[in-house]
C-alpha cells in the first residue's frame, strides 16, 4: 500500500469515527500513529484533528500515541465501528498512551457513546 493510500485510509478512519462520535470532531489534537507490520517496518504518521491533516512525520508534538498492527488497522479503518475499535483496544490490539488527561477524556467520550448506542 502506498503512502498516499495510507493517508486516505487514515483520513477515512478518522471520518468514520467522527460520524459515530460527533463530539470527537470538536477535539483539537495531534496524534502519533504507529502502524507496525510483519516486515518490521513501522511507519509513523502525524494525524492532526480536526481536519484531519495526515503526514508521515515523527509527530514530536503529539499528545496521544496510538499503535496498531497494520493489518488490523486496515480492517478497522475500512469497515470498523466504534464498538469494534473499542473491542480491539480491550483485546490489546490498539495501544493508546500519552497525556493522561487526554487518554481519560477520550475514554470517557467513547464509553458514553457506547452506552448511548446499546
Amino acid at each position: 500500500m502506498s503512502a498516499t493510500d495510507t493517508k486516505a485510509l487514515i483520513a477515512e478512519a478518522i471520518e468514520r469515527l467522527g460520524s459515530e462520535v460527533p463530539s470527537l470532531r470538536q477535539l483539537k489534537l495531534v496524534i502519533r500513529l504507529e502502524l507496525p507490520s510483519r516486515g518490521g517496518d513501522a511507519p509513523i504518521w502525524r494525524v492532526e484533528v480536526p481536519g484531519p491533516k495526515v503526514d508521515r512525520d515523527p509527530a514530536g508534538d503529539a499528545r496521544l500515541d496510538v499503535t496498531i498492527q497494520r493489518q488490523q488497522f486496515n480492517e478497522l479503518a475500512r469497515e470498523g465501528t466504534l464498538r469494534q475499535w473499542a473491542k480491539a483496544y480491550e483485546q490489546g490490539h490498539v495501544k493508546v498512551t500519552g497525556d493522561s488527561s487526554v487518554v481519560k477524556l477520550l475514554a470517557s467520550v467513547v464509553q458514553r457513546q457506547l452506552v448511548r448506542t446499546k
Side-chain angles (χ1 to χ4, degrees), residues 1-7 9-10 33-39 41-45 56 67-78 93:
M1 183 176 279
S2 73
T4 304
D5 293 340
T6 301
K7 277 176 86 167
L9 193 56
I10 293 168
L33 175 63
E34 186 174 357
L35 300 172
S37 63
R38 287 184 217 169
D41 181 29
I44 298 172
W45 294 87
R56 189 145 182 199
T67 303
I68 179 172
Q69 287 293 317
R70 180 56 184 253
Q71 183 177 358
Q72 181 89 28
F73 173 77
N74 290 348
E75 293 169 13
L76 287 171
R78 286 190 182 106
H93 299 297

Side-chain angles (χ1 to χ4, degrees), residues 6-98:
T6 301
K7 277 176 86 167
L9 193 56
I10 293 168
E12 181 181 339
I14 297 292
E15 291 296 321
R16 182 184 309 273
L17 288 172
S19 68
E20 278 195 80
V21 189
S23 57
L24 288 180
R25 290 183 181 164
Q26 303 167 32
L27 193 61
K28 292 183 181 181
L29 183 64
V30 175
I31 303 162
R32 178 184 179 272
L33 175 63
E34 186 174 357
L35 300 172
S37 63
R38 287 184 217 169
D41 181 29
I44 298 172
W45 294 87
R46 180 183 186 276
V47 182
E48 184 176 346
V49 291
K53 287 174 50 181
V54 180
D55 295 298
R56 189 145 182 199
D57 182 77
D61 58 341
R63 294 190 60 203
L64 198 66
D65 295 325
V66 178
T67 303
I68 179 172
Q69 287 293 317
R70 180 56 184 253
Q71 183 177 358
Q72 181 89 28
F73 173 77
N74 290 348
E75 293 169 13
L76 287 171
R78 286 190 182 106
E79 301 172 11
T81 63
L82 179 63
R83 192 164 305 286
Q84 290 168 322
W85 278 95
K87 183 177 179 181
Y89 173 79
E90 290 167 2
Q91 293 175 342
H93 299 297
V94 178
K95 294 173 182 62
V96 179
T97 59

